[in-house]
Amino acid sequence: MMAHWLRRNWPLLAAHVGGCYPLASLLLDAGRGRLTANPIQYITLHTGKPALVLLVLCLACTPADRFFALRPALRVRKLLGLYAFGYATLHFLIFSVIDYGLDVSQMLNIVAKKPYALVGFCALLALLPLALTSTRGWQQRLGSTWKKLHRLVYVAGLLAVTHYIWLVKSDVRQPLLWAAAVGVLLLVRLPAASPLAAKSRTWVRRQLTRAQ
Amino acid sequence: MQKIPSSEITPMAGYVAYQRTLSRRGLLGALAGIAGGVVAAACTPASTAADMQPAATVAADRTAAPVPTAAATAAAAPAVAATAGAASNADELGDSFTDRASVTGYNNYYEFSTDKEGVAPAAAGFAVDPWTVQVGGLVNKPATFDIGQLRKQFGEEERVYRLRCVEAWSMVIPWQGFELAKLLQAVEPQAAAKYVRFETLLDPARMPGQQQAWYSWPYVEGLRLDEAMHSLTLLATGLYGSALLPQNGAPLRLVTPWKYGFKSIKAIVKIDLVAEQPTSLWMAAAPNEYGFYANVNPQVDHPRWSQASERRIGEFSRRPTLPFNGYADEVAGLYAGMDLQANF
């Protein structure tokens, strides 16, 4: 029974485990007093990074299916997106409530003047309607608009990596790697990539049947 | 400038305990608050024995400090009472010293690691003896000093300074060291000397961060001669009453408290008097973001983030950043008539 459930639902299980892990490890760090000498910065970074990673994984789901016939990826796409939104929201709450104590004038000052804060905020705003309309009900209600609306996730991805690039002191190599990942995941969605996707998918399928 | 003998620093362990308890409880409460959608949890009063334990351990482990260990551990018990003595463990603005564990465990020192908590372990065992410092350039009496000789010749005094990192966090640190002016006077700068250029040791085998080609090693910093001669400018050899640890820039580092922390170059091996403004490592890495002066200035933001406020390590709320990091009375005159927006 359990084995059957696992065989059917392992992608969901993996997504939940992956989605909960960063928060669990953060809470564990907090319990052990291991949030460094600058704990607020630590929890800010350790909610921002998971948000980006989960968003990139979410963006990878569709290409994973199209290029590698990885059907299960489509089942976790929404979940990964929601987790990414969850971490982005936490990240923003830590910034606004804990770091700046809801000092609106100071925050507005920062968001207006500092591109990196503004860009991060816009990424969160881009994700908000997607999270709100992520249910099947909304999907049906919005019909074809839903798909168009959810292309906002591409914008969110680009804004999120820009936010990351602008935040580091000088060494942008790691942020650029994430930006490259987002870039590739967006490029492979272009119509020009479709023939390649089809070819790759057929090839993978053939290998799989042969293996069986 | 307030001078505090090392012997007065003893009750610190108790203060550390108190501070840690505070910050841990505050953060846990806040995290719990977020998780539950409630944020007011930060003021829960409970103070438990479990809270105290790690701090007591830290105090007991600190055998290197000139603190009688038994007394330190005992002092950790009545934590709140110890804060009464914290007044003498404070800078001239009344702000308490940052706890020693943070000062020696949270460091920006890319020669060892870009992870602030990773610097201390990576720098452990870094040998700072023998060590020589070459002082030359446009001077009448160039000399190479052994580190022990420097200490003997120029002595050691206590200076409590605020350290403001360009990343918008800050500390209060009791340093030991001597005024750079003393050393410069000893080598007799020539009239043509307008700037002082400092260089860190270049040794990629011992400083693994230098194997990373992103930055142009060695670390270089510079001061205008009048800044270098200013009585606040310190060459530090120790902190908290004991010799500098490798992660804090042992055996010799610069401290310019009115400038962002990155100006305070560590592990100095070379000091040259020069005619032209030196290009620092950070200026070379990002010229539009890190300037030569790098004076702490809440009005002049970093191009990408605000410098208007800062987080004092160990405190929960942000505090406003002071012009020249609170040393405006002493140093603002150095920049009279200068456009501080342009000369950031």
Side-chain angles (χ1 to χ4, degrees):
Chain A
M1 185 66 192
M2 186 67 187
H4 177 70
W5 184 91
L6 265 182
R7 209 176 308 138
R8 267 180 63 90
N9 292 309
W10 67 265
L12 291 177
L13 187 68
H16 277 300
V17 169
C20 290
Y21 173 76
L23 185 62
S25 93
L26 201 54
L27 289 172
L28 207 64
D29 283 344
R32 289 172 173 171
R34 287 201 187 145
L35 296 179
T36 80
N38 199 350
I40 295 177
Q41 189 188 54
Y42 186 84
I43 60 175
T44 307
L45 293 176
H46 285 76
T47 46
K49 189 68 179 285
L52 175 66
V53 173
L54 288 161
L55 189 60
V56 169
L57 286 175
C58 172
L59 283 171
C61 289
T62 304
D65 176 53
R66 265 201 225 150
F67 281 77
F68 307 111
L70 214 65
R71 202 90 204 144
L74 293 182
R75 289 185 61 203
V76 298
R77 188 174 61 180
K78 171 171 125 181
L79 209 51
L80 291 173
L82 283 174
Y83 271 114
F85 174 72
Y87 281 101
T89 307
L90 262 181
H91 181 70
F92 173 72
L93 284 178
I94 290 166
F95 164 81
S96 55
V97 180
I98 299 189
D99 201 350
Y100 281 91
L102 286 179
D103 184 338
V104 177
S105 70
Q106 212 182 343
M107 276 192 294
L108 277 181
N109 190 23
I110 282 172
V111 169
K113 273 203 303 193
K114 294 298 138 196
Y116 102 86
L118 182 64
V119 160
F121 186 62
C122 290
L124 181 66
L125 285 186
L127 287 176
L128 181 66
L130 310 191
L132 292 177
T133 60
S134 64
T135 59
R136 191 151 296 176
W138 271 106
Q139 195 169 2
Q140 280 161 1
R141 231 167 294 163
L142 290 174
S144 65
T145 323
W146 188 89
K147 205 166 178 184
K148 272 183 217 151
L149 175 68
H150 279 247
R151 290 204 176 116
L152 261 181
V153 72
Y154 309 151
V155 178
L158 290 172
L159 290 172
V161 286
T162 311
H163 176 64
Y164 188 23
I165 291 169
W166 277 348
L167 139 96
V168 296
K169 217 159 158 185
S170 156
D171 187 349
V172 289
R173 285 174 296 180
Q174 232 220 75
L176 281 181
L177 276 179
W178 288 100
V182 169
V184 168
L185 291 174
L186 295 190
L187 283 178
V188 296
R189 286 173 155 83
L190 292 177
S194 308
L196 184 66
K199 223 181 274 175
S200 163
R201 193 169 213 270
T202 320
W203 186 83
V204 172
R205 278 259 163 98
R206 200 175 304 137
Q207 299 303 310
L208 285 177
T209 12
R210 207 172 286 168
Q212 277 167 8
Chain B
M1 197 32 57
Q2 207 171 343
K3 282 161 197 165
I4 292 146
S6 320
S7 56
E8 296 235 327
I9 298 168
T10 314
M12 197 53 209
Y15 179 70
V16 170
Y18 175 68
Q19 276 272 314
R20 296 217 131 199
T21 317
L22 258 189
S23 68
R24 283 185 68 223
R25 204 188 311 135
L27 237 125
L28 270 175
L31 267 182
I34 284 208
V38 187
V39 192
C43 10
T44 40
S47 172
T48 61
D51 272 334
M52 295 305 302
Q53 180 118 35
T57 319
V58 168
D61 284 348
R62 211 174 294 140
T63 40
V67 177
T69 310
T73 317
V80 183
T83 49
S88 62
N89 291 336
D91 65 10
E92 80 284 5
L93 302 179
D95 293 329
S96 301
F97 295 177
T98 302
D99 77 64
R100 189 177 183 275
S102 297
V103 173
T104 58
Y106 192 74
N107 312 97
N108 263 328
Y109 199 168
Y110 285 11
E111 280 83 343
F112 290 105
S113 171
T114 50
D115 167 19
K116 285 188 260 295
E117 302 244 313
V119 170
F126 175 74
V128 294
D129 191 25
W131 191 278
T132 55
V133 183
Q134 233 182 77
V135 188
L138 303 170
V139 298
N140 292 329
K141 293 180 172 170
T144 299
F145 295 89
D146 176 70
I147 185 69
Q149 183 193 348
L150 270 179
R151 258 197 219 112
K152 213 181 296 164
Q153 190 169 339
F154 302 107
E156 233 180 24
E157 57 176 303
E158 198 115 28
R159 292 285 178 95
V160 177
Y161 283 158
R162 292 172 290 284
L163 177 100
R164 169 60 157 82
C165 180
V166 74
E167 297 165 1
W169 52 268
S170 61
M171 296 181 173
V172 179
I173 303 174
W175 300 100
Q176 289 83 48
F178 54 90
E179 287 179 14
L180 172 62
K182 287 188 185 175
L183 172 64
L184 296 182
Q185 276 151 9
V187 295
E188 295 182 7
Q190 297 169 356
K194 299 283 181 258
Y195 294 91
V196 185
R197 180 184 182 279
F198 305 84
E199 204 175 293
T200 295
L201 175 73
L202 179 65
D203 189 348
R206 296 171 62 211
M207 294 179 144
Q210 292 177 338
Q211 293 161 19
Q212 289 279 329
W214 180 264
Y215 298 100
S216 55
W217 306 107
Y219 203 97
V220 169
E221 261 307 338
L223 293 173
R224 224 169 51 192
L225 189 56
D226 56 346
E227 297 176 320
M229 296 296 283
H230 195 280
S231 62
L232 281 181
T233 304
L234 193 75
L235 279 176
T237 50
L239 63 80
Y240 260 122
S242 41
L244 277 185
L245 291 171
Q247 62 266 35
N248 295 111
L252 188 73
R253 68 167 291 168
L254 183 69
V255 185
T256 46
W258 71 97
K259 292 173 178 287
Y260 292 116
F262 67 85
K263 291 296 285 184
S264 294
I265 183 171
K266 303 183 175 95
I268 299 169
V269 291
K270 207 162 177 279
I271 300 175
D272 282 317
L273 281 284
V274 294
E276 305 292 328
Q277 180 178 295
T279 302
S280 72
L281 174 133
W282 282 108
M283 288 163 74
N288 57 330
E289 300 192 344
Y290 306 100
F292 175 75
Y293 288 96
N295 291 322
V296 175
N297 191 338
Q299 308 291 329
V300 179
D301 286 333
H302 186 279
R304 291 176 288 129
W305 60 77
S306 165
Q307 296 291 21
S309 67
E310 67 198 55
R311 168 154 293 100
R312 182 65 49 82
I313 297 299
E315 291 182 354
F316 193 74
S317 313
R318 281 179 172 266
R319 47 163 79 211
T321 289
L322 303 172
F324 296 104
N325 203 21
Y327 301 96
D329 288 347
E330 288 93 335
V331 299
L334 292 172
Y335 311 101
M338 273 175 70
D339 178 356
L340 297 178
Q341 294 275 349
N343 297 286
F344 57 87

